[in-house]
Amino acid sequence: MSSYGQQPGPHGSPSPYGQPPHPGQGQQPYGQPGYPPQQPYGQQPPQGYPPAQQPYGQQGGWTPQPAAARRPQLVRHSLPVVTMDKLVGQEIVEVLGEVVGVVARTRELRPDLRGGNPVDGYVTMLTESRQDAVARLVEMAEAAGAHAVVGLRFDCSEITQSLSEVCAYGTAVTLAGGPVGAERTG
């Protein structure tokens, strides 16, 4: 093996990388460029070097923008949907069974929600997903002849790396006086 042009290693043998074997000799180890030079901990680089980079995901001078996303609103349904096990002042006469509402959504933030703070966009998107799941649950309950849904719960899961499921479920019931808000005759 020829050692032409190589610096001697720690024991007089040539260094395989063509660099001095110890970084203390004024160069970076293993052919790494020396710009900007490494500074001892806590010291600033000398003037003339570019400023240090911002941590990943942060850009200098960025200020949060107002959210382009709509604020979630209360959604009223054609029949009562409650998280309680009964409706106050109403007597349950029949349990029809479990009703579900399922939506599958991409985990990417929708383009219409990307204009402002991404956290606000995700909050809006997640809220709308749950409201859509409840709307589908109500459709199933109405088709079953229910007057209300009690015991509303949510379940969420990942279907694929880019797709998530939101499920709303509860118990469809009929009430003693008929649907809430219907005129009672008697």
Side-chain angles (χ1 to χ4, degrees):
M1 176 165 117
S2 170
S3 61
Y4 179 75
Q6 294 184 349
Q7 301 289 327
H11 302 291
S13 63
S15 170
Y17 301 105
Q19 298 290 329
H22 301 290
Q25 296 180 353
Q27 295 184 5
Q28 297 296 319
Y30 307 112
Q32 295 180 4
Y35 178 82
Q38 298 292 328
Q39 297 295 317
Y41 180 75
Q43 294 184 6
Q44 298 295 323
Q47 295 295 334
Y49 288 107
Q53 292 182 342
Q54 294 290 327
Y56 178 75
Q58 297 180 8
Q59 299 172 354
W62 180 81
T63 55
Q65 300 297 317
R70 301 180 309 276
R71 297 203 47 91
Q73 300 291 321
L74 175 69
V75 175
R76 299 207 182 263
H77 300 285
S78 56
L79 55 86
V81 179
V82 297
T83 57
M84 302 176 289
D85 292 332
K86 60 182 180 177
L87 273 88
V88 177
Q90 299 291 322
E91 180 186 351
I92 295 173
V93 292
E94 184 181 3
V95 173
L96 300 175
E98 178 182 331
V99 287
V100 298
V102 178
V103 293
R105 297 287 161 88
T106 179
R107 295 170 70 180
E108 295 289 324
L109 192 58
R110 293 189 327 241
D112 63 316
L113 300 176
R114 292 183 190 160
N117 183 345
V119 173
D120 292 339
Y122 278 111
V123 167
T124 299
M125 187 174 76
L126 293 169
T127 302
E128 288 175 357
S129 294
R130 282 157 178 75
Q131 289 175 336
D132 291 347
V134 172
R136 290 189 179 181
L137 169 136
V138 168
E139 290 172 6
M140 186 177 192
E142 288 175 331
H147 299 154
V149 176
V150 296
L152 174 70
R153 302 289 185 267
F154 290 100
D155 187 26
C156 302
S157 63
E158 181 180 86
I159 298 171
T160 66
Q161 288 183 346
S162 61
L163 196 63
S164 292
E165 168 215 27
V166 176
C167 176
Y169 61 95
T171 304
V173 298
T174 58
L175 304 173
V180 175
E183 290 187 43
R184 296 181 184 177
T185 58

